[in-house]
Amino acid sequence: ENEPVLDVVWKVTEGKQKSIRDVIVRGNTNTKDEVIRRYLTVEPGQIVDTSELAWSEDLHVSIDFFTDLGGRPQVRVDTSPTPDPEKVDVVVDVNDEQSGQISFLVGAGSDRGLFAGASLDKRNFDITKVPTSFSTALVEFFGTGEAFHGGGQRLYLNVVPGTETTDLDLTFRDPWLDSSARQPWGLTASLYDRSRDFSEYDQETLGTSLAFDHQLSRRTSVPIGGRVETVSIDGADPLKVPTIAASSGDTSSRSLEG
């Protein structure tokens, strides 16, 4: 017995591709336009590519500059119609309200003793944008976002003193030294000081590092840098810890990193 057979024919009319008339950035009350535009992979004159719009939005989400208080991304890259039916505008909407974040820590451990400290993480830092006055510095930094904000840099400070250990870390990063470059060089500078009081001796490690990285493509970058570190040992009893006592004083080292 023959079953009925039906042919289905789809007729598709391909529309004309639209081009980008302009790129509009909105909501960046304190962040420089160039900081947002550098992470866009589309520009005026190009044919609209939805995958590139999605990639640009993902890049802005990944840098974590624009979030609400809950840490949820507040950025959207989309198109908007224009009077010319063959052209659209690319619109980037961001929430520029979130500024520096500070965290406090109190704890105890069998190998660390009692400790308490604080850390500051400023992800959209601008080293050139100083407060208007000393009295308003905290308000402009943590509240309005007018001070040290909007340059696309990052500042991280961690200070944790304790009864047996003390940690100090300071890191500054500028991922885009030349704002006009499509394949930029980035800079990361770090300083750290870590001390620990053992029962038989005291040890302090002081170091600094400087690294550059060059972006070759969307997914590839090449880092190169160096580190200088000094380890100081003091108070070691040669009768109890002869090996450690023999290393008392300062020992410096230098290394290249890539």
Side-chain angles (χ1 to χ4, degrees):
E1 184 178 352
N2 295 328
E3 297 182 357
V5 178
L6 178 66
D7 291 333
V8 178
V9 179
W10 294 92
K11 292 184 177 181
V12 179
T13 301
E14 185 176 0
K16 188 173 182 180
Q17 290 181 314
K18 296 184 178 182
S19 62
I20 300 174
R21 184 189 70 168
D22 196 8
V23 177
I24 302 171
V25 179
R26 303 186 303 200
N28 55 322
T29 54
N30 291 302
T31 298
K32 299 174 182 176
D33 260 28
E34 64 187 42
V35 172
I36 299 174
R37 294 178 184 274
R38 68 177 54 157
Y39 293 101
L40 293 173
T41 60
V42 297
E43 58 185 33
Q46 293 180 337
I47 299 298
V48 176
D49 186 337
T50 55
S51 64
E52 290 298 323
L53 296 179
W55 179 270
S56 296
E57 184 171 302
D58 289 343
L59 282 178
H60 283 87
V61 171
S62 68
I63 60 178
D64 205 21
F65 286 172
F66 310 106
T67 62
D68 59 16
L69 292 176
R72 293 177 291 270
Q74 298 291 299
V75 57
R76 180 174 177 80
V77 180
D78 208 344
T79 59
S80 177
T82 69
D84 186 343
E86 297 183 358
K87 295 183 179 181
V88 297
D89 288 336
V90 172
V91 180
V92 185
D93 285 304
V94 299
N95 181 353
D96 203 12
E97 295 180 359
Q98 182 72 357
S99 189
Q101 293 183 342
I102 187 169
S103 304
F104 297 95
L105 174 68
V106 177
S110 58
D111 60 339
R112 293 193 61 180
L114 299 175
F115 56 90
S119 63
L120 172 67
D121 190 3
K122 180 67 174 175
R123 292 184 299 274
N124 193 7
F125 185 68
D126 189 344
I127 197 172
T128 65
K129 199 173 183 181
V130 298
T132 55
S133 67
F134 181 79
S135 60
T136 61
L138 291 179
V139 174
E140 293 181 13
F141 185 83
F142 292 105
T144 61
E146 296 172 356
F148 298 115
H149 180 79
Q153 303 162 347
R154 183 174 184 179
L155 179 71
Y156 177 75
L157 174 63
N158 182 56
V159 181
V160 185
T163 57
E164 296 182 16
T165 63
T166 296
D167 294 336
L168 170 63
D169 296 273
L170 176 63
T171 299
F172 169 80
R173 172 161 174 77
D174 188 340
W176 224 285
L177 294 176
D178 183 356
S179 60
S180 63
R182 297 306 301 173
Q183 294 180 316
W185 281 90
L187 165 70
T188 303
S190 298
L191 175 67
Y192 57 91
D193 186 358
R194 302 185 178 97
S195 62
R196 179 162 185 168
D197 297 336
F198 293 93
S199 56
E200 295 88 3
Y201 63 96
D202 300 330
Q203 178 177 307
E204 180 180 15
T205 303
L206 178 63
T208 183
S209 64
L210 182 66
F212 294 91
D213 56 274
H214 184 43
Q215 182 178 328
L216 301 178
S217 66
R218 292 183 177 183
R219 295 181 174 88
T220 305
S221 62
V222 178
I224 184 172
R227 180 184 301 272
V228 178
E229 186 176 271
T230 299
V231 178
S232 301
I233 296 178
D234 185 37
D237 189 337
L239 298 179
K240 296 181 179 180
V241 283
T243 303
I244 300 297
S247 303
S248 293
D250 297 341
T251 302
S252 298
S253 62
R254 296 173 176 82
S255 62
L256 290 177
E257 301 175 346

